[in-house]
Amino acid sequence: MDDTSPADQFIPAGLAALEIEADEIDLAVMGAVHELLWPPLLELLAFDTHAVEPERRADLSRAPE
Amino acid sequence: MTAPLDLGLRAQAAAIAAGEIDPGELLDDALARIEQRNPALNAVVETFPERSREMLAAAPQGPLHGVPVVIKDEWPLPWRAERFGAAELTVPTAPGESGPYRALRDAGATIVGVGNMHELGAGSTGNTSCYGAARNPWDTERCPGGSSSGPAASAAARLVAGAVGADGLGSVRFPAAYCGLTGLKPTFGRSAMEGHHMAPITTLIVSGPLCADAADCRLLASVLFGEELATGEASSLRIGVIRDTVSEDVTPEVAAACEAAIEQLRAETGGEVREIALPDLEAATLAAILLINSESMSGTTPAQLNDLDPELSPVARGTLKYRMLIPAAALAQANLVRTLMRRRLAALFTEVDVIAWPTIPAPAPPLEEPLVELPAGTSSADQANVRGGALANLTGIPAISMPVGLSEEGLPLALQLQAAWGQDGLLLDAAEALERANGRRWVEALPPLATQAEPTEA
């Protein structure tokens, strides 16, 4: 069974693709952030927004039209 | 007799205008008090007496003529670039006339110091900063809140009567709550933001006032808005409450204080409390987090991330690098969630005038380990706090935090009200109504550090 966590793959791959260097401490922090952020991020990606019509030229100082 | 510096913002302004207080002496008093009390707080990270005296000498007869204030380390001043609480920013900064500086200067205020802040604005506790942690005047071993930690601690300890903070996910409201102040997060775009290094890109951050009470916040907000926010009467207030994590996963004393305050507000305004539903708050919170994190990386290159200042905290370094990996699809989705929540709120605000829930789920946690014990379990204060703060920033609506009690340990508890776009004045009216209802008990409560006797001259 593969016991590699998604962070073990995602973070090094992402950093390598962007040519961003990271030491062990950076990786530990990124892993912790990933553990917190990634599950809800996946939920957000799965959130059904098909019925939401995008707001064109949204003015955040006012109610949506 | 009350020391001039212990008066509120509007009382100081009125006393100066009436010739009862000499503004030069008030400035000297503020500098002396910073020298006396700030070592225990680390709230003010820099003073510049000569610059302050120059501001006072040139101050117009505006609504804050001669009144000392503190501004967060988030905007440049003509003599100082902002540091954003960090050893390094990945965007260039330089001294200059920022919008809040101009607003304060044109109102006649005297900027007496720069307030500490959570490093990169990326926390609700204020325990991490290139200047060292700021401390809470109610208990200096506790977090003052963040990211506007220094402005809040300054105003709570009565170093000044008013301070300017910034709020991107709750960064005015959390420290206001932890420090027993009133703090307003204005409607997006309404308060001065020019000169902020993220001003051209942000869709979430606003400047906002932190003061003892709502009337003082109204005065400082009027200055930041460049328009007077007239006092009104909050009557027949329809108060919406939501039975969800944000109002239920809170400590029993937070729940009790907020429920009591909501009932007081209802009774005072002859209003009603309505249970309402606002689904998908968790998605809204994450959307706001993703958007502010991605906006903060605008203009930052991978090469810059490979050459970060070693003095930047390990958390900041790792977090900055992680932000570069946020998928674009999630940002597109976050914007759709924003639209969805804006439409839902627009519909809700035809049924209620304000939405009420606790500003913070638990009082200020220890600086050393900012964890909070909630019914659902132990959580980092940041994770728990953002649930109550992010919606207003995501959607652009105004929100206010006001003190509504003290915990058994003597730490402030706070209620948040949110209203429709442009209804900043209504929030201040409602906060004043609540102050009347509770006899101003909580806005006049002073932390131990603010009741210290002044040193007497030999």
Side-chain angles (χ1 to χ4, degrees):
Chain A
M1 188 176 150
D2 182 6
D3 61 354
T4 307
S5 80
D8 288 340
Q9 302 155 21
F10 173 79
I11 292 172
L15 291 172
L18 294 170
E19 296 182 356
I20 297 172
E21 298 156 8
D23 61 22
E24 280 182 19
I25 297 172
D26 293 338
L27 291 172
V29 171
M30 294 178 80
V33 174
H34 189 72
E35 202 171 301
L36 283 177
L37 203 61
W38 202 252
L41 191 147
L42 291 178
E43 283 180 28
L44 183 73
L45 286 170
F47 194 83
D48 185 359
T49 51
H50 286 99
V52 181
E53 188 183 335
E55 221 179 331
R56 308 284 177 195
R57 293 179 293 280
D59 180 352
L60 291 164
S61 69
R62 298 174 184 279
E65 290 180 2
Chain B
M1 184 186 156
T2 304
L5 211 49
D6 290 329
L7 297 171
L9 197 74
R10 62 195 187 285
Q12 286 183 10
I16 291 168
E20 295 162 5
I21 295 178
D22 179 276
E25 289 178 13
L26 188 63
L27 172 58
D28 289 341
D29 289 350
L31 289 165
R33 189 170 279 185
I34 289 169
E35 199 168 318
Q36 180 206 0
R37 294 182 182 173
N38 193 56
L41 295 170
N42 198 25
V44 175
V45 296
E46 189 172 332
T47 57
F48 19 72
E50 288 312 308
R51 297 289 190 178
S52 302
R53 290 191 181 100
E54 286 168 18
M55 270 192 94
L56 177 59
Q61 295 294 328
L64 288 178
H65 177 75
V67 177
V69 295
V70 159
I71 186 168
K72 189 180 183 184
D73 181 30
E74 196 155 333
W75 285 276
L77 300 172
W79 56 87
R80 181 188 190 276
E82 77 276 26
R83 292 186 65 187
F84 211 36
E88 179 186 5
L89 283 179
T90 54
V91 293
T93 59
E97 287 192 3
S98 61
Y101 165 79
R102 279 194 216 110
L104 293 168
R105 178 199 62 192
D106 295 348
T110 307
I111 298 175
V112 72
V114 168
N116 202 348
M117 64 175 289
H118 197 106
E119 185 183 39
L120 299 172
S124 70
T125 60
N127 75 334
T128 306
S129 165
C130 67
Y131 309 104
R135 294 174 178 272
N136 191 320
W138 290 87
D139 178 344
T140 54
E141 296 303 315
R142 300 273 176 166
C143 294
S147 61
S148 305
S149 53
S154 301
R158 303 304 191 260
L159 308 184
V160 288
V164 176
D167 191 317
L169 288 177
S171 285
V172 161
R173 290 161 284 159
F174 302 143
Y178 278 178
C179 289
L181 297 170
T182 305
L184 177 71
K185 180 266 169 199
T187 298
F188 181 79
R190 202 167 178 192
S191 55
M193 268 294 286
E194 299 86 349
H196 189 290
H197 61 278
M198 281 178 65
I201 187 73
T202 187
T203 61
L204 296 106
I205 305 172
V206 292
S207 64
L210 295 116
C211 300
D213 67 14
D216 280 358
C217 270
R218 186 188 301 275
L219 175 55
L220 190 46
S222 296
V223 166
L224 292 171
F225 287 17
E227 61 176 300
E228 189 176 344
L229 289 167
T231 304
E233 192 67 39
S235 61
S236 306
L237 201 65
R238 298 170 300 167
I239 306 166
V241 295
I242 291 170
R243 301 296 172 201
D244 199 342
T245 307
V246 71
S247 56
E248 297 194 331
D249 191 23
V250 301
T251 67
E253 52 190 358
V254 166
C258 288
E259 283 169 19
I262 289 168
E263 173 51 26
Q264 288 172 333
L265 183 60
R266 184 206 64 73
E268 176 69 21
T269 63
E272 59 180 304
V273 176
R274 295 183 181 180
E275 276 204 28
I276 56 172
L278 184 57
D280 304 315
L281 272 174
E282 286 180 16
T285 299
L286 184 64
I289 291 169
L290 293 178
L291 289 169
I292 200 166
N293 280 339
S294 63
E295 288 172 0
S296 72
M297 299 307 287
S298 175
T300 301
T301 65
Q304 284 176 300
L305 295 179
N306 288 336
D307 193 27
L308 288 172
D309 190 313
E311 293 300 313
L312 208 59
S313 78
V315 170
R317 297 166 63 86
T319 303
L320 283 172
K321 291 177 181 180
Y322 188 84
R323 288 177 186 172
M324 291 294 263
L325 308 185
I326 296 172
L331 301 177
Q333 189 79 330
N335 270 313
L336 285 172
V337 170
R338 166 181 266 173
T339 294
L340 178 68
M341 299 309 283
R342 279 170 51 76
R343 291 195 177 123
R344 283 181 181 166
L345 281 174
L348 273 181
F349 284 126
T350 64
E351 299 171 26
V352 298
D353 300 305
V354 294
I355 298 171
W357 66 49
T359 311
I360 43 167
L367 277 165
E368 282 300 314
E369 195 172 21
L371 300 175
V372 291
E373 300 292 336
L374 301 176
T378 304
S379 168
S380 83
D382 281 344
Q383 275 183 280
N385 289 340
V386 73
R387 298 190 301 224
L391 181 71
N393 303 89
L394 180 72
T395 58
I397 60 171
I400 195 167
S401 178
M402 65 209 85
V404 294
L406 291 177
S407 71
E408 274 187 13
E409 295 171 292
L411 299 168
L413 309 172
L415 177 70
Q416 178 177 200
L417 299 178
Q418 299 169 92
W421 299 264
Q423 294 296 312
D424 310 67
L426 173 66
L427 291 177
L428 293 161
D429 296 341
E432 288 193 55
L434 182 59
E435 290 171 14
R436 286 195 302 276
N438 62 33
R440 293 179 52 81
R441 181 177 177 191
W442 307 118
V443 295
E444 290 182 358
L446 286 173
L449 216 138
T451 56
Q452 281 182 2
E454 306 288 347
T456 50
E457 288 183 30

